[in-house]
Amino acid sequence: MRDSIVMPRRQTRKIMVGDVAVGGDAPIAVQSMTNTLTTDIDATVAQVHSLEEAGADIVRISVPDVESAAAMPEILAQTQVPIIADIHFSYKMALLALDAGVHGLRLNPGNIGSQDRVERVVKAAQEKNVSIRIGVNAGSLEKEFNEQYGEPCADAMVASALRHIRILEDMNFKDIKVSLKASNIPMTVAAYRKLAEKVDYPFHLGITESGSLFGGTVKSSVGLGLILADGIGDTIRVSLAAEPKEEIKVGFEILKSLGLRHRGVNLIACPSCARQKFNVIEVVQELEIRLAHIQEPMDVAVIGCVVNGPGEAQEVQVGITGGYPTHTFYHDGEKFGRVKSSNMIDALVDEVEKRAAVMRTETELSGKI
Ligand code: SF4
């Protein structure tokens, strides 16, 4: 058993987004958002499907206008994963989205107008058992909090979240989750830590506008990693200026790296050096592509030479260590045989697929799916 540096999970209220539980003892859900025009039903459905294939537990879709709301019933009819409607300012869009059958709303009740309008939305959400995410963003804090605190900061974000929470609580609505997003990592981390001391609602974690696939992955990994290591976080969304399914892949990698959730192959590879007995980088790149469809959790080690190979192979289900003229194949930490460079990748893929198929069958037989 590997050591864990993650604090015990914060105890939160469990809420539902469709059939996916968020909070309590539920696995940390990984979500993303479509970037197609919602009115383009075919493109949006295709993107939701690609997110589902990548493992998304929840998908969010913007509903900015009446035409987008009108597309939602068809999108919902053609998809399986729970869908959250992203609403800004308009109670009408919220009501239309609820009528369409969405499984969750992302809206800030303080931003949708009069008490009467808020009540109509909250009542409709209550009737349909739809949860609401309050999404505080440092870039769009209410004027009163920016004035009170002088500038966007963690305390201002927490104050804004508490204001929105109070509005819902006053209507006896508690199926709430909360996000506190900023592009500034220390501010984001501080905001989540502070709010965690005040409420027991589940948190949706994210570092907003984090950037490109490369830069955004680094920022999100550091920011979300710090918060998750505190035991805080019930669902995550990695925001990247990239294909949405990349957000899901990065999200799972972050959770895998902290031992919080396991899905698919966890590739362990050495950085390679002059001692490598095969081209580690090329092999790993090809394996990433050829093993992307595996959903069952499995550790696979690809190590260039005997300096670290045998040690790493002991910790994984499938391993390869570079040698000369052939490489050593390991199964469950034991030497299994030797393979040539020419068929090493095929042998690794075959073994992983075989094991994944067995795991799938066992899971099906035990009735867990
Ligand atoms: S395991 Fe071998 S090839 Fe890989 S980095 Fe270490 S010494 Fe180099």
Side-chain angles (χ1 to χ4, degrees):
M1 174 122 180
R2 296 188 186 214
D3 298 327
S4 175
I5 49 102
V6 179
M7 302 286 288
R9 181 116 171 248
R10 172 178 163 254
Q11 304 227 323
T12 56
R13 173 189 290 271
K14 189 186 281 187
I15 65 164
M16 299 302 292
V17 181
D19 58 1
V20 171
V22 176
D25 59 358
I28 298 172
V30 179
Q31 55 175 295
S32 178
M33 187 169 182
T34 55
N35 63 7
T36 50
L37 278 177
T38 306
T39 47
D40 186 341
I41 294 173
D42 289 347
T44 303
V45 166
Q47 199 168 63
V48 174
H49 286 161
S50 107
L51 288 167
E52 277 182 280
E53 272 164 32
D57 299 300
I58 297 167
V59 174
R60 182 156 50 110
I61 298 179
S62 271
V63 184
D65 47 37
V66 177
E67 293 76 19
S68 300
M72 291 305 286
E74 191 53 38
I75 293 168
L76 285 156
Q78 293 186 44
T79 52
Q80 299 293 319
V81 69
I83 301 285
I84 293 178
D86 191 84
I87 307 288
H88 287 273
F89 309 118
S90 171
Y91 80 104
K92 278 189 191 154
M93 293 313 124
L95 291 175
L96 288 171
L98 287 168
D99 276 348
V102 297
H103 307 97
L105 288 178
R106 184 274 186 200
L107 69 79
N108 291 346
N111 296 351
I112 59 168
S114 64
Q115 176 78 5
D116 169 58
R117 291 176 172 183
V118 178
E119 273 174 16
R120 284 174 63 187
V121 171
V122 170
K123 197 159 165 276
Q126 248 157 356
E127 280 169 12
K128 292 174 188 293
N129 283 326
V130 164
S131 53
I132 295 179
R133 168 160 70 94
I134 292 168
V136 172
N137 195 308
S140 54
L141 281 175
E142 298 94 321
K143 207 167 146 221
E144 63 188 277
F145 296 120
N146 274 334
E147 280 172 7
Q148 186 181 340
Y149 291 92
E151 60 181 359
C153 62
D155 286 321
M157 291 168 73
V158 169
S160 172
L162 290 172
R163 172 175 166 258
H164 293 298
I165 289 170
R166 213 166 298 124
I167 293 171
L168 295 183
E169 284 180 340
D170 284 349
M171 293 178 197
N172 207 22
F173 187 92
K174 294 194 169 168
D175 289 334
I176 301 170
K177 55 182 157 36
V178 186
S179 64
L180 300 158
K181 298 190 184 181
S183 56
N184 175 307
I185 291 174
M187 193 194 299
T188 309
V189 175
Y192 279 109
R193 284 179 178 161
K194 283 169 188 263
L195 190 64
E197 289 173 5
K198 297 182 186 297
V199 297
D200 69 350
Y201 296 114
F203 287 171
H204 162 127
L205 305 187
I207 305 294
T208 198
E209 287 118 30
S210 59
S212 66
L213 181 55
F214 174 73
T217 295
V218 174
K219 266 178 144 181
S220 293
S221 303
V222 172
L224 299 189
L226 282 166
I227 304 165
L228 289 164
D230 275 356
I232 297 173
D234 303 282
T235 175
I236 63 171
R237 189 249 171 138
V238 174
S239 298
L240 298 174
E243 273 296 300
K245 70 175 181 201
E246 300 296 334
E247 299 186 345
I248 298 297
K249 282 157 67 178
V250 174
F252 273 105
E253 285 302 318
I254 291 172
L255 295 179
K256 275 194 265 184
S257 70
L258 288 170
L260 291 169
R261 197 152 166 203
H262 305 279
R263 182 187 192 277
V265 171
N266 180 30
L267 260 182
I268 295 150
C270 75
S272 78
C273 73
R275 291 179 195 273
Q276 66 180 347
K277 297 291 185 273
F278 60 86
N279 190 322
V280 174
I281 293 174
E282 274 180 24
V283 169
V284 167
Q285 282 174 346
E286 189 167 343
L287 283 173
E288 260 194 359
I289 295 166
R290 290 186 54 185
L291 297 176
H293 65 290
I294 301 290
Q295 296 181 14
E296 290 68 27
M298 211 180 308
D299 290 333
V300 175
V302 178
I303 310 293
C305 81
V306 293
V307 170
N308 289 326
E312 288 293 349
Q314 277 177 14
E315 305 282 327
V316 298
Q317 285 101 320
V318 182
I320 197 100
T321 295
Y324 185 81
T326 53
H327 316 300
T328 311
F329 208 2
Y330 290 85
H331 286 186
D332 300 312
E334 302 288 336
K335 281 184 189 171
F336 181 75
R338 302 194 68 84
V339 285
K340 292 183 193 158
S341 292
S342 54
N343 63 357
M344 175 173 57
I345 292 177
D346 285 344
L348 280 166
V349 171
D350 281 354
E351 183 59 26
V352 170
E353 285 181 339
K354 222 186 298 166
R355 284 168 181 254
V358 171
M359 289 163 85
R360 216 164 23 246
T361 309
E362 283 173 359
T363 311
E364 279 163 10
L365 287 177
S366 68
K368 283 186 190 153
I369 287 183

